[in-house]
Amino acid sequence: MKSLKKVLIFTILIFAVITLYSVVNAATYSFNASPKEIEVGDTVTVDVSVTAGDWVLSLSGAINESWGSNNGELTGNQTQNKRYTFTPDTAGTYTITLSGTISDYDKEETTKVNQTETIVVKEKTQDPSQNEQTDQPTQSEPQEPTNPKPEQPTEPEVTITDMNATMYTTSNLNVRESYSTQSERIGYLNKDDSVTVIGRSSNGWYKVRLSNGIEGFVSGEYLTTEKPNTNKSSTATLANLTVTPGSLNETFSREKLSYTMTVEADVDSIDVDAVPTDSKAKVTVTGNTGLMAGTGNEIKIKVLAEDEISTKTYTIKVTKLATEEENPNIIDELTEAVLGLSSLSIEGLKITPSFSTNIYEYKATLTDKTIEKLKVNAISTFEDAKIEIIGADNIKDGENVITIIVTSADGEETVTYQIIVNKTEETNIAKVDTTQKNNSNQGIIIALIVFIVILTTILVYIIIKKKQNSKPMKIYEDGDYNETEEENQVESNINNNIERDQPQEENNEDENYEDYDDDDDDDWGTPKRGIFGKFRKNGRHF
């Protein structure tokens, strides 16, 4: 029974080791910023630790930092610790966000990381001793008694009435320690934020409780009980664009941002009819008056979405004709190339529509999740023009905007191209599904191995136990046997019974006993037992 317990304990230990191995080797990370509440001038420490086979992480917000592993050099899960600090110089609420991915080396599992730490920074507390006023009288020269001044009217005492309501800000708003603009600022609210109001003062201020538990006062002038429309449209495109006199050289499309046109020498201004896709968007037109002869005229139509955040700017490059007498070089200028790109492509991707110098917005799709940097090939129509490419070095999941800015040699003219790259997660999803399937198969295999080990151990134990119970009796050279007293008694009883049952004439001295032992050196005159503790006489076993 003790041996069986040992076997079972050993089996359980094997199973525990296998389970712990799968847990210990998982990719993990930790992210912490402390302290969470400080005063201006104090320092916040941010600690990041990652254990994985590969990782790509970045900090954003109050701290901006990115780093990754050299996955080509790692041979297993490695641990990396990083520490950052920042010292805010103004009061307010700061956030630090850790984002990216970590991958387990053994399991080939990728985990997304997205965690935010919030830091509340208060104004520096002044030393109370600086504000203390001494009660000691000051010495002064004797003065003639004067008529007492009339008492100044005292300000009415401010009272606060308790209340419990949810209100909304109509503007960006400071939260102060008391019901006055002279009191210390302890927080900040954005426009359209909701806030819990717990009291109203008699001078028109409200006592509020912020989401982090801090209580303060805000001016009631900027609070309302009407819930703002948080679903404001972000559409900042035009549904139609026409000009008078003349017309655009290109067909209008809401996704196309740049156009060209030519007008006669007597045209000084152009009427622009720009209709927004969303009727609540605002449209502003500039540059459509005071046209000069030549190609240096540019009309800009800016569309501001209802949310007052999203914008798009459409441009119309206007060429104004002139007579030879007015400017003999104008006609020649019209035949020259315009500033822009003569070629644009992304290595390994197809852009749509097909490139054309006067098409300024394109789209592309990236399905390879491992690609985080794209190579953009751009050639200007002028050799001395400068080309700047923005947004191609950090491609993330979802929509990415790559901007190509072409600037003339004199820096006075710029043309902007955009490529919207949509990085899909189809490949990632497939990999996750495959990884989950592989993990499931690994779990089944591990369970099967553990079951086989347990079964084999039990079978080996049973076989050993049976062999111990059926072990043959050992014969010593002097004819003694390794028997217990009880076994000797049983054998003696068997021999006596045999002797009584046999006829007397068979017990002749001439009869010999034949032993199982084939050793020629044994004494044939002495009967011996076989290895199973029995005699054989005349072919019969006893």
Side-chain angles (χ1 to χ4, degrees):
M1 183 58 69
K2 290 183 179 180
S3 298
L4 180 58
K5 289 183 179 179
K6 291 180 179 179
V7 171
L8 292 177
I9 293 173
F10 178 73
T11 304
I12 293 172
L13 288 175
I14 292 177
F15 183 76
V17 168
I18 294 173
T19 304
L20 288 174
Y21 177 79
S22 61
V23 172
V24 170
N25 282 278
T28 59
Y29 78 95
S30 63
F31 170 50
N32 180 59
S34 63
K36 298 292 192 301
E37 293 188 6
I38 61 173
E39 294 182 348
V40 173
D42 294 343
T43 299
V44 176
T45 301
V46 178
D47 292 307
V48 181
S49 177
V50 58
T51 300
D54 184 25
W55 58 86
V56 177
L57 297 172
S58 63
L59 289 173
S60 59
I63 298 177
N64 291 285
E65 187 74 22
S66 299
W67 73 96
S69 62
N70 296 323
N71 54 359
E73 300 178 2
L74 300 181
T75 58
N77 285 344
Q78 303 292 328
T79 299
Q80 185 183 63
N81 299 310
K82 283 185 174 290
R83 170 167 288 187
Y84 302 91
T85 60
F86 85 98
T87 305
D89 54 5
T90 58
T93 301
Y94 295 80
T95 60
I96 306 173
T97 300
L98 176 68
S99 60
T101 58
I102 59 174
S103 301
D104 185 85
Y105 182 85
D106 296 315
K107 297 184 178 180
E108 298 183 357
E109 291 181 348
T110 299
T111 303
K112 288 187 177 181
V113 175
N114 191 355
Q115 182 179 340
T116 300
E117 293 284 308
T118 301
I119 310 298
V120 177
V121 182
K122 300 180 180 179
E123 292 288 353
K124 194 73 174 179
T125 304
Q126 296 182 355
D127 188 352
S129 62
Q130 297 178 359
N131 298 325
E132 292 180 354
Q133 297 182 353
T134 177
D135 294 331
Q136 299 295 330
T138 58
Q139 295 182 356
S140 60
E141 295 294 330
Q143 296 181 0
E144 294 294 329
T146 59
N147 295 327
K149 295 181 179 180
E151 295 183 359
Q152 296 293 331
T154 60
E155 294 184 0
E157 182 181 358
V158 177
T159 59
I160 299 177
T161 304
D162 292 338
M163 60 181 296
N164 186 10
T166 299
M167 302 184 75
Y168 306 90
T169 58
T170 60
S171 176
N172 295 335
L173 191 58
N174 290 323
V175 180
R176 298 190 178 275
E177 190 174 27
S178 185
Y179 36 75
S180 169
T181 56
Q182 304 302 318
S183 63
E184 181 182 356
R185 188 181 72 172
I186 60 174
Y188 187 82
L189 291 171
N190 294 314
K191 181 182 178 182
D192 295 335
D193 280 352
S194 64
V195 63
T196 301
V197 178
I198 59 176
R200 181 176 182 177
S201 66
S202 57
N203 65 346
W205 285 64
Y206 285 92
K207 186 176 183 180
V208 298
R209 180 183 294 118
L210 304 182
S211 58
N212 57 10
I214 294 178
E215 295 182 359
F217 290 83
V218 297
S219 173
E221 182 181 354
Y222 304 102
L223 288 183
T224 179
T225 57
E226 183 179 352
K227 187 174 182 180
N229 180 14
T230 57
N231 296 323
K232 294 181 179 180
S233 172
S234 61
T235 302
T237 58
L238 292 177
N240 192 28
L241 177 62
T242 58
V243 292
T244 304
S247 62
L248 301 175
N249 294 333
E250 300 84 14
T251 302
F252 172 77
S253 170
R254 68 181 60 187
E255 301 298 332
K256 179 176 172 56
L257 300 180
S258 298
Y259 300 88
T260 61
M261 67 177 295
T262 303
V263 296
E264 298 296 331
D266 59 347
V267 176
D268 294 326
S269 63
I270 296 175
D271 292 330
V272 178
D273 184 13
V275 180
T277 303
D278 182 5
S279 61
K280 295 182 180 180
K282 299 178 181 179
V283 178
T284 305
V285 179
T286 58
N288 60 322
T289 60
L291 300 179
M292 303 295 292
T295 59
N297 305 288
E298 186 175 80
I299 302 174
K300 292 187 176 182
I301 304 100
K302 182 179 179 181
V303 184
L304 177 63
E306 182 190 6
D307 62 5
E308 298 184 355
I309 298 175
S310 304
T311 63
K312 277 186 182 295
T313 301
Y314 295 79
T315 60
I316 305 174
K317 293 184 180 297
V318 181
T319 300
K320 181 179 177 180
L321 298 177
T323 63
E324 285 288 340
E325 291 77 12
E326 292 174 329
N327 192 340
N329 296 324
I330 293 297
I331 301 299
D332 294 335
E333 290 178 4
L334 298 180
T335 62
E336 295 180 358
V338 297
L339 179 66
L341 294 177
S342 60
S343 175
L344 177 63
S345 64
I346 299 179
E347 190 171 301
L349 296 183
K350 180 181 179 181
I351 62 174
T352 56
S354 298
F355 173 76
S356 176
T357 301
N358 58 2
I359 298 178
Y360 301 91
E361 190 161 323
Y362 300 87
K363 293 183 179 180
T365 301
L366 176 63
T367 58
D368 189 346
K369 179 178 179 288
T370 61
I371 295 179
E372 298 181 351
K373 183 177 181 181
L374 294 175
K375 183 177 181 181
V376 179
N377 302 312
I379 302 175
S380 174
T381 54
F382 292 92
E383 293 184 358
D384 56 353
K386 298 179 182 178
I387 299 177
E388 182 181 5
I389 301 174
I390 304 172
D393 294 335
N394 188 18
I395 304 300
K396 300 180 180 179
D397 292 344
E399 186 175 284
N400 301 267
V401 178
I402 300 176
T403 303
I404 303 96
I405 302 175
V406 185
T407 306
S408 60
D410 57 9
E412 295 183 356
E413 186 179 0
T414 61
V415 177
T416 302
Y417 293 81
Q418 285 187 339
I419 306 175
I420 300 175
V421 179
N422 186 21
K423 186 176 181 181
T424 64
E425 298 184 355
E426 295 175 356
T427 304
N428 185 36
I429 293 173
K431 183 174 181 180
V432 171
D433 291 340
T434 303
T435 302
Q436 292 176 348
K437 183 176 181 181
N438 291 337
N439 291 339
S440 177
N441 292 337
Q442 290 177 358
I444 295 174
I445 293 173
I446 292 175
L448 183 59
I449 291 174
V450 172
F451 174 77
I452 293 175
V453 169
I454 296 175
L455 182 61
T456 303
T457 304
I458 294 175
L459 291 176
V460 169
Y461 174 80
I462 293 174
I463 293 173
I464 293 174
K465 200 70 177 177
K466 284 186 176 182
K467 285 186 177 181
Q468 290 177 346
N469 294 336
S470 60
K471 184 176 180 181
M473 195 164 298
K474 184 175 180 181
I475 304 176
Y476 294 90
E477 294 182 357
D478 56 0
D480 294 333
Y481 304 94
N482 185 15
E483 295 177 307
T484 61
E485 182 178 353
E486 181 179 356
E487 289 174 341
N488 289 332
Q489 182 65 36
V490 171
E491 291 294 338
S492 177
N493 293 337
I494 293 173
N495 291 334
N496 293 334
N497 292 334
I498 292 174
E499 291 177 357
R500 286 196 300 269
D501 294 338
Q502 295 298 325
Q504 292 296 325
E505 59 274 15
E506 292 182 0
N507 294 330
N508 296 327
E509 293 182 359
D510 295 338
E511 292 179 342
N512 294 323
Y513 291 88
E514 184 180 359
D515 188 43
Y516 276 74
D517 192 354
D518 293 334
D519 190 354
D520 294 338
D521 295 334
D522 288 343
D523 188 359
W524 286 89
T526 304
K528 294 183 179 179
R529 297 188 183 187
I531 60 174
F532 294 102
K534 296 182 179 181
F535 293 98
R536 186 175 68 180
K537 179 181 179 182
N538 295 333
R540 297 178 62 186
H541 293 279
F542 297 92

